Amino acid sequence: MGALELSAQIQAGKIGAVETVAKYIRIAKNSRLNTFLAIPEERVLARAKEVQDKIDAGITLSPLAGVPVAVKDNISTEGTETTCASRMLEGYVPVFNATVIDKLEQAGMVVIGKVNMDEFAMGGSSETGYFGAVRNPWDATRVAGGSSGGSAAAVAAMEAPMALGSDTGGSIRQPCAFCGVTGIKPTYGSVSRYGLIAYASSMDQIGVIGTDINDCAALLEIISGPDTRDSTCVTDAPFAFGKENAAKIKIGLPRNYFNDSIDPEIIRAIFMAVKVFEDAGAVVEEFQMPLVDYIVPAYYALSSAEASSNLARFDGLKYGHRATEAKSLSDVYTLSRSQGFGMEVKRRIILGSFVLSSGYYDAYYRKALEIRGMIKEAYNQLFARYDVILAPVAPTTAYKLGENITDPMKMYMADVYTASVNLAGLPAVALPCGFDAQGLPIGMQLIGDAFSEPLLVAAARKYQACTDYHTRKPGVPNL
């Protein structure tokens, strides 16, 4: 069942919330994909009982009441360990909930546990975490994508009907493409970031992952909306879906995305999706995407600079890992951070400190800010011509575990189709649109103007009404 159907069955009394949650816990605990990092079983079942009691009492909750949801391990959950998949935060138990967690609970949903990720959301394969790599449900010798790999893999493997992730440069869309599930990266400022442990504050955005667009839209409707605790949350009300008509939309297709650097099978799948939209009445027009060569350098200069500042708080004094062998204040700083952070996090902290340094600030950081403004303006001009932009998510399907982890530049270049969306603060929907010759999922993304989520959801609904890629499930992982 999808999440909406599951909730309907629970609220109709045909199945019980506690029974449902208990089954998902059993599935998750028996997983061989290294998806979950924490499942507080007793507390989760008690929470399911509370929800069932409210349903039995006739209290109206939401269309997703009783549904279990997995949460990425960089979103604060009161009383449950939240580590960002890092040794630095091993054993850290928050005393407060992120706003999105409070909203899930108000809607009658049940947080089943915390899922694995790239350390501090820095990575594109969910291999950089301290607790080991997440495995892809379609082929357990391959990566699940990142940084929200645990969220996408858990949904794809039916260990949870839906999940929350976060997206800084493609971290929801890329694992959705690799794992064959659906996800929404919302407009920056539409979902509260209060309680999200920051990587790059001006780009981080909590989003949703589910099996289809209807489930994702229902979950986004719950978690979106204003929050006085987050000054960057600018929406006046939650999103409302179902009113937009995508019958005659005009779609832009960036022709310069389809070159020698992208797998031909992905190109074929994207153009098959174009045909589906055209047959449904959409107009598709090719265009030249501007500034493509500058997207990845600008993104990594800015995101690393923000990471360098945000992660300075983890110093071994206030909280975080503290080196027991430290004998001086200098030792506390250097040893604690050296031991607490993994290689990829250190790499980005060093890069960020470099671009912010007095001798290089103007040459790198300021230039990257200027390029960011140019990218946003380019999108403004594109959305004066098109309702939606259709693009690939990644240049390849899921690759082998360990294949690219020692080549940072190759990993970074995989963000070429996704990072510009975060630089401009725009929404995007990731959808499965085919499979390659090895049976691995292929994903595409629909990009819209700021706060155009209702139109993106309507377009995604039209596509999924004509295709069945989102209904296909992986087999038994080959471990």
CSV table of all heavy atoms in Angstrom, one decimal, residues 1-10 14-15 20 24 67 155 158 160-162 211-212 215 473:
chain,number,residue,atom,x,y,z
A,1,MET,N,0.8,-1.2,0.0
A,1,MET,CA,0.0,0.0,0.0
A,1,MET,C,0.9,1.3,0.0
A,1,MET,O,1.9,1.3,0.6
A,1,MET,CB,-0.9,0.0,1.3
A,1,MET,CG,-1.9,-1.0,1.4
A,1,MET,SD,-2.9,-0.8,2.8
A,1,MET,CE,-3.8,-2.3,2.9
A,2,GLY,N,0.4,2.3,-0.6
A,2,GLY,CA,1.0,3.6,-0.5
A,2,GLY,C,0.6,4.2,0.9
A,2,GLY,O,-0.3,3.6,1.6
A,3,ALA,N,1.2,5.3,1.3
A,3,ALA,CA,1.0,5.8,2.6
A,3,ALA,C,-0.5,6.3,2.8
A,3,ALA,O,-1.1,6.1,3.8
A,3,ALA,CB,1.9,6.9,2.9
A,4,LEU,N,-1.0,7.0,1.8
A,4,LEU,CA,-2.4,7.5,1.9
A,4,LEU,C,-3.4,6.3,2.0
A,4,LEU,O,-4.3,6.4,2.8
A,4,LEU,CB,-2.7,8.3,0.6
A,4,LEU,CG,-2.1,9.7,0.6
A,4,LEU,CD1,-2.3,10.3,-0.8
A,4,LEU,CD2,-2.8,10.6,1.7
A,5,GLU,N,-3.2,5.2,1.2
A,5,GLU,CA,-4.1,4.1,1.3
A,5,GLU,C,-3.9,3.4,2.7
A,5,GLU,O,-4.9,3.0,3.3
A,5,GLU,CB,-3.8,3.1,0.2
A,5,GLU,CG,-4.7,1.9,0.2
A,5,GLU,CD,-4.4,0.9,-0.9
A,5,GLU,OE1,-3.4,1.1,-1.7
A,5,GLU,OE2,-5.1,-0.2,-0.9
A,6,LEU,N,-2.7,3.3,3.2
A,6,LEU,CA,-2.4,2.7,4.5
A,6,LEU,C,-3.2,3.5,5.6
A,6,LEU,O,-3.8,2.9,6.4
A,6,LEU,CB,-0.9,2.7,4.7
A,6,LEU,CG,-0.4,2.0,6.0
A,6,LEU,CD1,-0.8,0.5,6.0
A,6,LEU,CD2,1.1,2.2,6.1
A,7,SER,N,-3.1,4.8,5.5
A,7,SER,CA,-3.8,5.6,6.5
A,7,SER,C,-5.3,5.4,6.4
A,7,SER,O,-6.0,5.3,7.5
A,7,SER,CB,-3.4,7.1,6.4
A,7,SER,OG,-4.1,7.8,7.4
A,8,ALA,N,-5.8,5.4,5.2
A,8,ALA,CA,-7.2,5.2,5.1
A,8,ALA,C,-7.7,3.9,5.7
A,8,ALA,O,-8.8,3.8,6.3
A,8,ALA,CB,-7.6,5.3,3.6
A,9,GLN,N,-6.9,2.8,5.5
A,9,GLN,CA,-7.2,1.5,6.1
A,9,GLN,C,-7.2,1.6,7.6
A,9,GLN,O,-8.1,1.0,8.3
A,9,GLN,CB,-6.3,0.5,5.6
A,9,GLN,CG,-6.3,0.2,4.1
A,9,GLN,CD,-7.5,-0.7,3.7
A,9,GLN,OE1,-7.8,-1.7,4.4
A,9,GLN,NE2,-8.2,-0.3,2.7
A,10,ILE,N,-6.2,2.3,8.1
A,10,ILE,CA,-6.1,2.4,9.6
A,10,ILE,C,-7.3,3.2,10.2
A,10,ILE,O,-7.9,2.8,11.2
A,10,ILE,CB,-4.8,3.1,10.0
A,10,ILE,CG1,-3.6,2.2,9.7
A,10,ILE,CG2,-4.7,3.5,11.5
A,10,ILE,CD1,-2.2,2.8,9.8
A,14,LYS,N,-9.8,-1.1,9.6
A,14,LYS,CA,-9.5,-2.4,8.9
A,14,LYS,C,-8.2,-3.0,9.4
A,14,LYS,O,-8.0,-4.2,9.3
A,14,LYS,CB,-9.6,-2.2,7.4
A,14,LYS,CG,-10.9,-1.8,6.9
A,14,LYS,CD,-11.0,-1.7,5.4
A,14,LYS,CE,-12.4,-1.3,4.9
A,14,LYS,NZ,-12.4,-1.1,3.4
A,15,ILE,N,-7.2,-2.1,9.7
A,15,ILE,CA,-6.0,-2.5,10.3
A,15,ILE,C,-5.6,-1.6,11.4
A,15,ILE,O,-6.2,-0.5,11.5
A,15,ILE,CB,-4.8,-2.6,9.3
A,15,ILE,CG1,-4.7,-1.2,8.6
A,15,ILE,CG2,-5.0,-3.7,8.3
A,15,ILE,CD1,-3.5,-1.2,7.6
A,20,THR,N,0.5,-2.1,12.4
A,20,THR,CA,1.2,-1.6,11.2
A,20,THR,C,2.6,-1.2,11.5
A,20,THR,O,3.6,-1.6,10.9
A,20,THR,CB,0.4,-0.5,10.6
A,20,THR,OG1,-0.9,-0.9,10.2
A,20,THR,CG2,1.1,0.1,9.4
A,24,TYR,N,6.4,-2.8,10.4
A,24,TYR,CA,7.5,-2.0,9.8
A,24,TYR,C,8.8,-2.0,10.6
A,24,TYR,O,9.9,-2.1,10.1
A,24,TYR,CB,7.1,-0.6,9.5
A,24,TYR,CG,6.4,-0.4,8.2
A,24,TYR,CD1,5.0,-0.2,8.2
A,24,TYR,CD2,7.0,-0.4,7.0
A,24,TYR,CE1,4.3,0.0,7.0
A,24,TYR,CE2,6.4,-0.2,5.8
A,24,TYR,CZ,5.0,0.0,5.8
A,24,TYR,OH,4.3,0.1,4.6
A,67,VAL,N,0.5,6.5,10.0
A,67,VAL,CA,1.6,6.0,9.0
A,67,VAL,C,2.9,6.2,9.7
A,67,VAL,O,3.3,7.3,10.2
A,67,VAL,CB,1.5,6.8,7.7
A,67,VAL,CG1,2.6,6.5,6.8
A,67,VAL,CG2,0.1,6.5,7.0
A,155,VAL,N,12.5,3.7,1.9
A,155,VAL,CA,11.2,3.7,1.2
A,155,VAL,C,11.2,2.7,0.1
A,155,VAL,O,10.3,2.0,-0.1
A,155,VAL,CB,10.9,5.1,0.7
A,155,VAL,CG1,9.7,5.1,-0.2
A,155,VAL,CG2,10.7,6.1,1.9
A,158,MET,N,10.8,-0.8,1.3
A,158,MET,CA,9.5,-1.0,2.0
A,158,MET,C,9.8,-1.2,3.5
A,158,MET,O,9.0,-1.9,4.2
A,158,MET,CB,8.7,-2.1,1.4
A,158,MET,CG,8.2,-1.8,0.0
A,158,MET,SD,7.6,-3.3,-0.9
A,158,MET,CE,9.2,-4.0,-1.4
A,160,ALA,N,9.9,1.6,5.3
A,160,ALA,CA,9.1,2.7,5.8
A,160,ALA,C,8.3,3.1,4.6
A,160,ALA,O,8.8,3.2,3.5
A,160,ALA,CB,9.9,3.8,6.4
A,161,PRO,N,7.0,3.5,4.8
A,161,PRO,CA,6.2,4.0,3.6
A,161,PRO,C,6.6,5.3,3.1
A,161,PRO,O,6.4,5.7,2.0
A,161,PRO,CB,4.8,4.0,4.2
A,161,PRO,CG,4.9,3.9,5.6
A,161,PRO,CD,6.2,3.4,6.0
A,162,MET,N,7.2,6.2,4.0
A,162,MET,CA,7.7,7.5,3.6
A,162,MET,C,8.8,8.0,4.5
A,162,MET,O,9.0,7.4,5.6
A,162,MET,CB,6.6,8.5,3.5
A,162,MET,CG,5.7,8.6,4.6
A,162,MET,SD,4.1,9.3,4.3
A,162,MET,CE,4.3,10.2,2.7
A,211,THR,N,6.6,6.7,-2.2
A,211,THR,CA,6.6,5.8,-3.3
A,211,THR,C,6.0,6.5,-4.6
A,211,THR,O,6.3,6.1,-5.7
A,211,THR,CB,5.8,4.6,-3.0
A,211,THR,OG1,4.5,4.9,-2.5
A,211,THR,CG2,6.5,3.7,-2.0
A,212,ASP,N,5.1,7.5,-4.4
A,212,ASP,CA,4.5,8.2,-5.5
A,212,ASP,C,4.3,9.7,-5.1
A,212,ASP,O,4.4,10.1,-4.0
A,212,ASP,CB,3.2,7.5,-6.0
A,212,ASP,CG,2.1,7.5,-4.9
A,212,ASP,OD1,2.0,8.5,-4.2
A,212,ASP,OD2,1.4,6.5,-4.8
A,215,ASP,N,1.5,10.6,-2.3
A,215,ASP,CA,2.0,10.5,-0.9
A,215,ASP,C,3.0,11.6,-0.5
A,215,ASP,O,2.9,12.2,0.6
A,215,ASP,CB,2.8,9.1,-0.7
A,215,ASP,CG,1.8,7.9,-0.7
A,215,ASP,OD1,0.6,8.2,-0.7
A,215,ASP,OD2,2.3,6.8,-0.7
A,473,LYS,N,9.0,-2.6,-7.6
A,473,LYS,CA,9.8,-2.7,-6.3
A,473,LYS,C,11.0,-3.6,-6.6
A,473,LYS,O,11.0,-4.5,-7.4
A,473,LYS,CB,8.9,-3.4,-5.3
A,473,LYS,CG,7.6,-2.7,-5.0
A,473,LYS,CD,7.8,-1.3,-4.4
A,473,LYS,CE,6.4,-0.6,-4.2
A,473,LYS,NZ,6.6,0.8,-3.7
